[in-house]
Amino acid sequence: MVRALGSVTAGTLLANLLAYLVQVPASRVLGPDGFGEFSVLNAAMLVLSVPALALQAVVAREVVGGTSRSRLWRLIGVVTVLVACCSAAGVAVMMTIAHTALVPTAVALAGAAPLAVIAGGQGLLQGSGRFGVLGLVLACVGVLRSVPVVGAVVSGGGPTGALAAGTAGTVVAAVVVAVVAARDRRREDVAAHSRVALADVLAASGVQFVMIVAVSVDLLLSRSVLTASDAGVYALGAVATKAAFWLPQAIGVVVYPRLADPVRSSDALRRALAVLAGIGLCVTGAAAVGGPLVPAVISEDYRPVASLMWLFALTGALLAVLQLMLLAAIARNHARGALPAFAVLVAEIAVILVVADSVPLLASVAALSAAASVAATGAWLRFAG
């Protein structure tokens, strides 16, 4: 368990560190307006990749159950095509919601489909317990998705060039993951008759959709309720939210096979939640201490958000707890576990559109909504047993 957690933690920490280091040159070079567009379109791409993210959980669960790899690879292909079609349809929607241009929107959303291949391959490694290989894969994907973006930003490519570089890196990463996962045969197929299908992914996608939209909805709507400059300032604060959210990702990856085991599920969930709570407190404290450094490290343009970084980090920490709860719902094949969080999400969207007309107010709404989602989902899990 310790070795597995160490390998996955190292891979995810490197990938997340690179992802957030990208934000420093991007925020400085692109300025609040360009950085706002860059951040919103990345968030939109993440939302469209929800079936891909759900795919990893389903594939890992089915590998534990012994489903044949050939069947799982066919499922990965179907989900990839589905995500590609949704991405094409989503271009016009995002242009309307976020007021973005055609080319940057299209190149950003094109990065969603390759994530299905990446997620599927990682699910095969995760389910078979190949955490050492998985850690290396996670690190490799992080490098391939982040380094090209930095190069594009520094070379003056603007938001469009940065988004295109990120998509190109994601495609290369998908090829690498597919090759590694296809060659890893440590676990033999023992239940080729399994009937896992797209419906299983769609059911898990409903849970993942709630999770990813909960992480991104404030940023996605920021350009609708704030000025372009304020939305760019808010986007920098949202970096702290995502950092606190993704930092403990390794815990969910490693504990997921235990969440799928009826005997160990409850105990594994309790222990993992305690670890996440401790990490969340540390991250929030670090953000409170480091927040005042934002104007010096990034730019004076972002001073208004410096004193709020702890609130953004708290939101991300709460959402990390929510993610683990929803992973437990997927592992137990209880998609209805996302209903409480979905209800809170609908209310959050309504409140944002009606009253959130400033950076502090929007950040407060996001934090309160995250806390409400955790409380409601925790109550459901206790009731459902």
Side-chain angles (χ1 to χ4, degrees):
M1 178 66 174
V2 173
R3 287 195 300 270
L5 186 58
S7 298
V8 177
T9 298
T12 53
L13 280 179
L14 176 59
N16 290 334
L17 178 61
L18 289 173
Y20 292 109
L21 285 178
V22 167
Q23 310 302 318
V24 176
S27 58
R28 292 177 65 93
V29 175
L30 301 179
D33 289 1
F35 184 61
E37 181 182 34
F38 172 78
S39 299
V40 167
L41 289 176
N42 268 323
M45 184 274 292
L46 186 61
V47 171
L48 281 168
S49 67
V50 161
L53 300 176
L55 180 64
Q56 178 169 347
V58 171
V59 168
R61 184 182 71 200
E62 293 302 319
V63 170
V64 172
T67 300
S68 72
R69 289 175 177 265
S70 60
R71 185 180 294 274
L72 292 174
W73 276 115
R74 287 196 295 272
L75 180 63
I76 292 169
V78 171
V79 174
T80 301
V81 172
L82 174 65
V83 173
C85 293
C86 292
S87 298
V91 172
V93 176
M94 276 309 301
M95 290 174 63
T96 302
I97 294 175
H99 311 295
T100 53
L102 173 62
V103 175
T105 305
V107 297
L109 300 191
L115 286 177
V117 179
I118 293 174
Q122 290 176 171
L124 290 169
L125 296 172
Q126 180 184 2
S128 58
R130 302 293 295 153
F131 293 115
V133 178
L134 179 59
L136 292 174
V137 165
L138 290 168
C140 181
V141 170
V143 170
L144 291 172
R145 295 188 65 198
S146 300
V147 173
V149 178
V150 175
V153 168
V154 173
S155 63
T160 301
L163 292 165
T167 295
T170 303
V171 171
V172 175
V175 174
V176 172
V177 173
V179 171
V180 172
R183 289 182 175 180
D184 189 270
R185 297 277 183 177
R186 295 298 185 94
R187 184 185 181 95
E188 297 295 329
D189 299 332
V190 296
H193 61 279
S194 173
R195 296 186 178 276
V196 61
L198 181 61
D200 297 274
V201 178
L202 294 178
S205 294
V207 181
Q208 287 282 9
F209 177 79
V210 172
M211 185 67 259
I212 296 303
V213 174
V215 175
S216 307
V217 66
D218 55 333
L219 181 59
L220 287 171
L221 295 177
S222 63
R223 289 171 69 90
S224 298
V225 298
L226 304 176
T227 65
S229 179
D230 282 350
V233 170
Y234 191 89
L236 184 67
V239 172
T241 299
K242 290 181 171 54
F245 174 72
W246 291 111
L247 178 65
Q249 183 185 19
I251 294 173
V253 172
V254 173
V255 81
Y256 183 79
R258 289 171 172 79
L259 295 177
D261 184 343
V263 176
R264 297 184 292 175
S265 178
S266 296
D267 183 61
L269 180 60
R270 284 193 298 271
R271 291 174 181 270
L273 286 175
V275 174
L276 284 180
I279 293 174
L281 288 174
C282 293
V283 172
T284 302
V289 173
L293 300 176
V294 166
V297 175
I298 307 298
S299 168
E300 279 291 332
D301 294 333
Y302 298 98
R303 180 174 290 279
V305 82
S307 62
L308 297 173
M309 295 302 285
W310 70 271
L311 185 59
F312 285 97
L314 176 62
T315 301
L318 289 168
L319 291 172
V321 172
L322 177 63
Q323 181 187 42
L324 184 65
M325 291 178 174
L326 294 182
L327 277 176
I330 295 175
R332 298 169 182 176
N333 206 17
H334 292 160
R336 288 179 296 177
L339 289 178
F342 178 74
V344 174
L345 180 60
V346 172
E348 179 183 4
I349 293 172
V351 173
I352 289 175
L353 293 175
V354 173
V355 303
D357 57 357
S358 68
V359 172
L361 189 53
L362 182 55
S364 298
V365 171
L368 290 172
S369 298
S373 293
V374 169
T377 304
W380 182 89
L381 287 175
R382 285 194 296 272
F383 176 78

